[in-house]
Amino acid sequence: MYKLLIVDDESETRNSISNYFPWEDIGFEIVGQLENGRQALDFLSERQADVVLCDIRMPVLSGIDFAREIKDRKHPVMIVFFSGYREFEYAKQALSLGVKEYIVKPPKYKDLVSAFSSLKAELDEQARRMATPSDQLDEEPEQSYNDKIISIVKRFVEDNFRHASLEEAAKLVHMNANYLSQFFKKNTGSSFSDYLLTVKMQKAKELLLDVRYRTYEVGSLIGYSNSRNFARTFKKYFGTTPKLYRNRKP
């Protein structure tokens, strides 16, 4: 289990996000609930946490200032921001400070699962690298290592297909994006973009069978802002339009 620290000045938010989300199911345990960034810094000076889920606007020490302190101190903890504020400036500052994720309040279940599944995969890989001496790593069968990298990348795509990118996948496995592109193609026979497209199209087929969603909504749910682009891509991939696929006879 990885250790997760919740930091938010609203007690109701802290309690609900701690008690009503199945953290253990995705590999995390709550080690503390704090009110501001200053308390979080004091906590981390004495105790361990792998990830801090932190509000941005807090008294005493804001989330931005907390992240800046963490960066200056070169503390290895990962930070995830969540905030009711959608302003681009906050997201831009978060990226510049090395924050891993930015989740809008109130956080949706799927957003938390997606973000923390990716973080767990990254933490697992870091743990493997730290636990395996370099000489043993060199002796490890190359294919075994390659399989692990491909598995992490595929899991990332499957969990984040709506906005997944080669650059983000490369960061996750500590590779250059161009190198990962070649690595993925060599080990799977498919390019990263083709695999992402396959995942999106298969998900689109599933969603089209759900009558709760209109066709254009399905496109949006898998990452297409333009419904015509979605319909065009779907037809090219499956040889039929989304509407015809939905209305086909059993």
Side-chain angles (χ1 to χ4, degrees):
M1 287 284 179
Y2 294 108
K3 300 181 185 300
L4 172 64
L5 180 64
I6 307 291
V7 187
D8 192 296
D9 59 314
E10 299 175 356
S11 60
E12 183 177 348
T13 299
R14 294 197 308 271
N15 292 332
S16 63
I17 206 167
S18 297
N19 298 324
Y20 299 109
F21 184 79
W23 292 108
E24 292 187 0
D25 291 350
I26 54 175
F28 290 87
E29 63 172 331
I30 306 295
V31 294
Q33 298 182 44
L34 304 174
E35 296 181 2
N36 58 64
R38 176 56 58 193
Q39 291 181 358
L41 287 176
D42 293 341
F43 180 99
L44 293 173
S45 68
E46 299 179 356
R47 298 177 60 187
Q48 179 192 355
D50 299 295
V51 181
V52 176
L53 179 57
C54 180
D55 191 16
I56 288 181
R57 289 198 172 185
M58 298 181 293
V60 185
L61 191 70
S62 71
I64 293 290
D65 290 334
F66 167 72
R68 187 174 290 112
E69 285 281 347
I70 289 296
K71 182 178 181 180
D72 291 344
R73 298 181 187 190
K74 295 181 172 56
H75 196 291
V77 71
M78 295 180 175
I79 299 175
V80 176
F81 275 163
F82 71 128
S83 174
Y85 302 90
R86 292 176 177 268
E87 289 93 332
F88 175 72
E89 190 61 32
Y90 287 121
K92 188 168 67 173
Q93 289 187 59
L95 292 173
S96 70
L97 295 170
V99 173
K100 291 291 183 178
E101 300 278 353
Y102 185 101
I103 301 173
V104 175
K105 282 184 179 180
K108 296 180 180 178
Y109 182 92
K110 64 179 182 179
D111 292 338
L112 288 171
V113 170
S114 176
F116 280 86
S117 293
S118 296
L119 289 177
K120 184 179 183 299
E122 185 171 350
L123 288 164
D124 286 345
E125 180 62 17
Q126 289 180 3
R128 186 192 72 83
R129 288 178 174 275
M130 292 178 64
T132 306
S134 58
D135 56 340
Q136 291 184 26
L137 188 61
D138 292 339
E139 295 170 4
E140 182 178 318
E142 181 181 358
Q143 193 55 47
S144 176
Y145 172 76
N146 291 355
D147 288 345
K148 289 178 181 177
I149 295 296
I150 294 301
S151 177
I152 291 171
V153 173
K154 284 186 173 181
R155 176 65 182 274
F156 167 75
V157 171
E158 290 160 9
D159 290 343
N160 303 275
F161 58 86
R162 190 164 184 256
H163 299 297
S165 69
L166 177 64
E167 289 72 20
E168 288 299 316
K171 290 179 183 178
L172 187 61
V173 294
H174 309 288
M175 287 182 175
N176 173 275
N178 289 333
Y179 179 78
L180 176 60
S181 177
Q182 298 171 9
F183 180 91
F184 192 89
K185 176 78 172 181
K186 178 180 178 182
N187 286 277
T188 67
S190 171
S191 68
F192 178 88
S193 59
D194 285 345
Y195 182 73
L196 175 59
L197 178 63
T198 295
V199 172
K200 286 189 174 204
M201 291 297 103
Q202 293 301 326
K203 187 64 177 179
K205 283 176 64 176
E206 293 178 24
L207 293 170
L208 284 168
L209 299 178
D210 191 331
V211 295
R212 293 177 301 172
Y213 303 115
R214 296 185 178 183
T215 301
Y216 72 88
E217 291 177 321
V218 171
S220 177
L221 287 170
I222 65 167
Y224 287 85
S225 58
N226 186 301
S227 59
R228 290 184 179 180
N229 288 343
F230 164 61
R232 188 182 303 113
T233 303
F234 189 94
K235 184 176 182 180
K236 183 177 180 181
Y237 192 90
F238 290 113
T240 186
T241 66
K243 184 176 181 180
L244 288 174
Y245 176 81
R246 165 169 276 176
N247 296 330
R248 77 196 190 290
K249 293 182 179 180

